[in-house]
């Protein structure tokens, strides 16, 4: 009897640490799988959360939306571009401040419509960078040598 009470006393504190997490509702919205063509590959998601305002609870936050891509296309013969996080909803596109390169952007890699970026470029400590907030669609960057 004393042994059973002792074991029960050891288990009671663990019950106090247990949390009850639930997903009250969900929606399957989108397809799954991968499509490829040439050198490009696109992956779809099944069960992607819906676009909405931020959902919060306790120390957790989930912002709904649709995936967008900010990506770089490395051009042979020019410095490499790098993308790094910059806070919650933005990134920095960074490259060495060597030479006279132009940062170009494109919304769709299936087209050859590259244009000089309209984002403000900052020079600091031997690097150039621009800060990008989350776009509503895809955004690709490359360096061009004039």
């Amino acid at each position: 009897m004393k042994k059973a009470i002792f074991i029960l006393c050891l288990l009671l504190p663990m019950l106090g640490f247990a949390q009850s997490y639930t997903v009250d509702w969900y929606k399957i919205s989108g397809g799954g799988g991968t499509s490829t063509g040439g050198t490009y590959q696109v992956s779809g998601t099944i069960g992607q959360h819906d676009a909405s305002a931020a959902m919060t609870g306790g120390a957790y936050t989930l912002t709904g939306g649709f995936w967008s891509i900010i990506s770089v296309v490395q051009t042979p013969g020019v410095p490499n571009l790098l993308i790094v996080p910059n806070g919650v909803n933005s990134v920095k596109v960074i490259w060495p401040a060597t030479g006279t390169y132009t940062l170009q952007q494109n919304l769709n890699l299936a087209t050859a419509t590259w244009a000089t970026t309209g984002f403000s470029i900052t020079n600091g400590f031997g690097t150039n960078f621009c800060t990008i907030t989350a776009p509503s669609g895809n955004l690709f960057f490359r360096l061009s040598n004039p």
Side-chain angles (χ1 to χ4, degrees):
M1 178 72 172
K2 288 182 181 180
K3 193 177 207 181
I5 293 174
F6 177 74
I7 291 173
L8 183 62
C9 289
L10 288 176
L11 293 176
L12 281 176
M14 291 184 353
L15 294 175
F17 291 111
Q19 299 293 323
S20 175
Y21 295 104
T22 63
V23 176
D24 297 327
W25 67 274
Y26 63 92
K27 178 179 177 184
I28 303 297
S29 55
T34 302
S35 299
T36 59
T39 59
Y40 301 106
Q41 178 177 345
V42 177
S43 296
T45 300
I46 190 164
Q48 182 175 344
H49 50 274
D50 291 331
S52 66
M55 298 173 277
T56 60
Y60 302 101
T61 300
L62 174 67
T63 303
F66 298 96
W67 285 7
S68 62
I69 296 174
I70 299 176
S71 183
V72 297
V73 176
Q74 302 298 352
T75 305
V78 300
N80 284 336
L81 290 170
L82 180 66
I83 297 178
V84 297
N86 185 46
V88 177
N89 289 325
S90 68
V91 295
K92 283 186 178 181
V93 178
I94 300 173
W95 66 98
T98 58
T100 56
Y101 300 103
T102 303
L103 183 66
Q104 296 180 330
Q105 67 186 52
N106 189 344
L107 300 175
N108 183 351
L109 288 179
T111 68
T113 312
W114 289 93
T116 301
T117 188
F119 291 101
S120 177
I121 297 173
T122 305
N123 181 288
F125 303 110
T127 60
N128 292 324
F129 66 90
C130 63
T131 303
I132 317 283
T133 55
S136 60
N138 298 334
L139 195 52
F140 301 94
F141 291 93
R142 75 176 185 183
L143 284 180
S144 174
N145 195 358

